[in-house]
Amino acid sequence: MLAVSKPAAAPLPPFPPEPDQGRSDRTDGLAEVRVEGARLRLVELPLVRPFTTSVGTDTVKTALLVELVGDGLRGWGECVADPGPSYFGETLVTARHVLTEYLLPEVVGSPRRPVADHLRRITWVRGHPMAQAALEMALLDLAGQATGRSLAQILGGVRVRVACGVSVGIEATVAATLRAVDGYCAEGYQRVKLKCRPGRDERVVAAVRRAFPTLPLTVDGNAAYTLADLAVLQRLDRYGLLMIEQPLAHDDLVDHARLQALLRTPVCLDESVPSVASARAAIALRAGGMINLKPGRVGGLLAAAAIHDLCGAAGWPTWVGGMLETGIGRAANVALASLPNNTLAGDTSASDRYFSEDLVAEPFRLGLDGTLAVPTRPGLGAEPDPERLARVTTWLERFTGPGTGHG
Ligand code: SMG
Ligand code: MG
């Protein structure tokens, strides 16, 4: 009988290393912390101008804040879920539910523990990365304060100031977009991102490029395109964009890989990377060329830092995105932006790009060189101004520990 030999299997492409789910050695050496009580609250801050994307218009920022109290310290976390699930599947109501019923009971009233152990106790909760990230931020703030280490030091930051860009919403007219871009450039922002959607893309990009020939420029489609729009996406290649952010579906990687193979401009993934594992898949599939890091989207700062490391090893640049955070979430984003592979300016704009009065005592101010200072105080290095906090709080709930109920 004829022996049929199986052809040798083609070697697997080099795969990115195994994810560590973000529960990394970055927490080694942090003091143990005890969480005696917690408060959840909603705050509402009007935006200085409406912000329109392909998924809707925001005129006010509603943030869910986590406040942990232990050993005389106070740790703060900001949840970036929106009121509705148009950018991401979580909402303010689902995040509140998950924090109240599942996450906070695991840490409030528990004994003094290493922060890694507190975090291990919440990993059984699947999904809900924005709720998880808010609690993680508050725990890291407590642990950083207890240890005397800033969040940037905990995460492995290497910069004292970080380069800032600005995200410009879809304006009513091209002229209004040009005015907005002009204003932000005059303030010193180092790069401009134009929100776009089918029909509101090439004409605006062409006009901005004509008026600002050397401006570092990007676009963000927030998943509004499909491969049927290939022609316009390929035409955008002509404008020297730094990247095209999340053009295709929020849960797609395969079509982004097909698109990237047909574009010179790097594709930057945002919505399509909701975890460390999905970042690894994106890199393995070559579904783009860079990733926008948002702690809330991926389950926390440690997971975002792990994605930063994976991308660095793969030669993909990273940068820190934004969710119109108050100064609390902004402090965390700026600390994350100080990591070495974040080589592109972030959507980490100054407080006054969003609010006439930020929540934090010391608002983030843009330097003349278009940078923000990385907080240096232990922990987050930012806390709400008590009087302002009281003024903008619309809802508040207290937790004292498991079994004691809340209210
Ligand atoms: O914080 O300056 C900011 C906003 C940056 O454009 C921004 N964020 O898709 O990257 C993004 C959006 C998400 C929020 S609006 C849907
Ligand atoms: Mg985006």
Side-chain angles (χ1 to χ4, degrees), residues 51 167 193 195 220 222 245 270 294 322-324 347 354:
F51 184 62
S167 176
K193 162 162 128 183
K195 289 292 187 177
D220 185 355
N222 284 112
E245 184 176 338
D270 178 352
K294 290 181 183 169
M323 293 294 291
L324 309 167
D347 281 344
Y354 310 93

Side-chain angles (χ1 to χ4, degrees), residues 367-381:
L368 294 173
D369 59 349
T371 62
L372 291 185
V374 179
T376 53
R377 282 188 285 130
L380 209 50

